[in-house]
Amino acid sequence: MAVNNAKLRELYHSMLRIRCCEESFIEPILSKEVRCPVHLCTGQEAVAAGICGALEKKDYIFGNHRSHGHYLAKGGGMKEMVAEVYGKETGCSRGRGGSMHLIDPQVGMLGSAPIVGGTISLALGAAMASSIRKDKRVTVSFFGDGATGEGVLCESLNFAALKNLPIIFACENNFYSTHLPISEIRVSNRIFEIGKPFGEQSFRVDGNDVLQVFDRAKKAVDLCRRGKGPVFLEFVTYRMHGHVGPDDNIQGCHTDIRPKKEIERWRKKDPIVKLERLLLRKKAMSRDALAEIRSMVEQEVREAHEFARTSPFPKKEDLHRYVFKD
């Protein structure tokens, strides 16, 4: 699929916003200014940007414990997300959810949750509702390779295929479930093949190539809009930080068992660097233009942290607010 220069710049901007925002959490985490667990998606930006770049605002997405990128790529407000990580009242979940509970219904981000596979059935329900309403919305369910061991995925794959639901099952395979390598969890790491017995159209994609992600996502979205869903997509990618926080090997934890050579090998496949090289080669952007976008994004990130730091914490007397609808 040919992608015009405007779309290339849009994808680059989306990925860079995710990367800069994620990296900005490192210092507040280490200084304990941020107290909630934060699962960074550095290295996996192309999946979120590529898929959400193929969606419309009306479409739905559901995330997991590592969903900052999904939220931002779908159009969620950065200030509101950063404030949520800080636990502030101005956060997208009013400071009650933290990093793993992000939501912005106005742009179709219907929620993330830390329970492994916990939002897959919710995405299935949203797709079922769209099918009944015939509203042409597409739903994307984001989950990691660890969620492929959950029974709810198999149940959802079967039901989605049975009803031809407009849903994309997007598995981000970064080869590790917390600290367990995929070789210790699955007989085969060809995750996309699990969709085939249920009648899913299934594909494996280079998750560090945003153009491949966007191309395959566009085709999957088109199938779903035409009533020919569901589609199962496996994105092969890698997280550059530890399972939770910037690095599991700090402060005496030493729980990250990933070989250094493996991490360095994946650093050479950085999706942002890869796209920057393409932009320069195609003369879609100059080095000055790339630097200007980075400067703008970094300013946006600084303003988001300032907004969060100066926002109030929820009041103790409001502890039970938002538990039930008023």
Side-chain angles (χ1 to χ4, degrees), residues 95-258:
R96 273 74 168 176
S99 168
M100 295 182 280
H101 298 88
L102 307 175
I103 188 168
D104 191 343
Q106 292 186 343
V107 297
M109 171 64 179
L110 296 192
S112 62
I115 298 173
V116 177
T119 60
I120 294 175
S121 59
L122 303 183
L124 184 76
M128 182 68 173
S130 292
S131 178
I132 293 171
R133 292 194 300 256
K134 302 184 187 304
D135 59 16
K136 298 295 183 180
R137 282 183 166 95
V138 174
T139 296
V140 177
S141 173
F142 287 102
F143 53 90
D145 49 285
T148 60
E150 298 294 326
V152 67
L153 176 59
C154 292
E155 296 168 2
S156 298
L157 289 171
N158 183 67
F159 189 83
L162 184 67
K163 300 295 183 180
N164 294 115
L165 297 184
I167 182 171
I168 298 169
F169 295 95
C171 177
E172 295 175 274
N173 179 10
N174 61 24
F175 300 104
Y176 286 87
S177 297
T178 309
H179 306 101
L180 279 175
I182 195 168
S183 60
E184 296 184 27
I185 299 171
R186 300 185 58 83
V187 174
S188 169
N189 70 354
R190 293 169 63 82
I191 286 176
F192 74 101
E193 292 182 342
I194 69 175
K196 293 181 178 179
F198 298 99
E200 308 279 335
Q201 299 178 77
S202 305
F203 306 92
R204 173 178 260 191
V205 185
D206 180 354
N208 278 31
D209 186 326
V210 71
L211 296 188
Q212 288 191 37
V213 174
F214 176 70
D215 178 51
R216 182 50 67 184
K218 281 286 287 184
K219 292 174 181 175
V221 168
D222 180 61
L223 286 169
C224 287
R225 288 216 206 282
R226 293 191 287 114
K228 298 184 180 297
V231 180
F232 188 101
L233 301 178
E234 175 196 0
F235 297 96
V236 179
T237 185
Y238 198 81
R239 55 174 167 79
M240 297 313 302
H241 289 297
H243 168 64
V244 58
D247 190 353
D248 290 337
N249 284 333
I250 60 173
Q251 300 173 346
C253 293
H254 301 291
T255 54
D256 192 346
I257 49 82
R258 298 180 302 167

Side-chain angles (χ1 to χ4, degrees), residues 15-29:
M15 285 200 294
L16 194 62
R17 287 181 77 238
I18 298 168
R19 172 69 60 87
C20 291
C21 189
E22 291 292 78
E23 295 297 281
S24 73
F25 284 120
I26 293 176
E27 190 280 326
I29 292 170

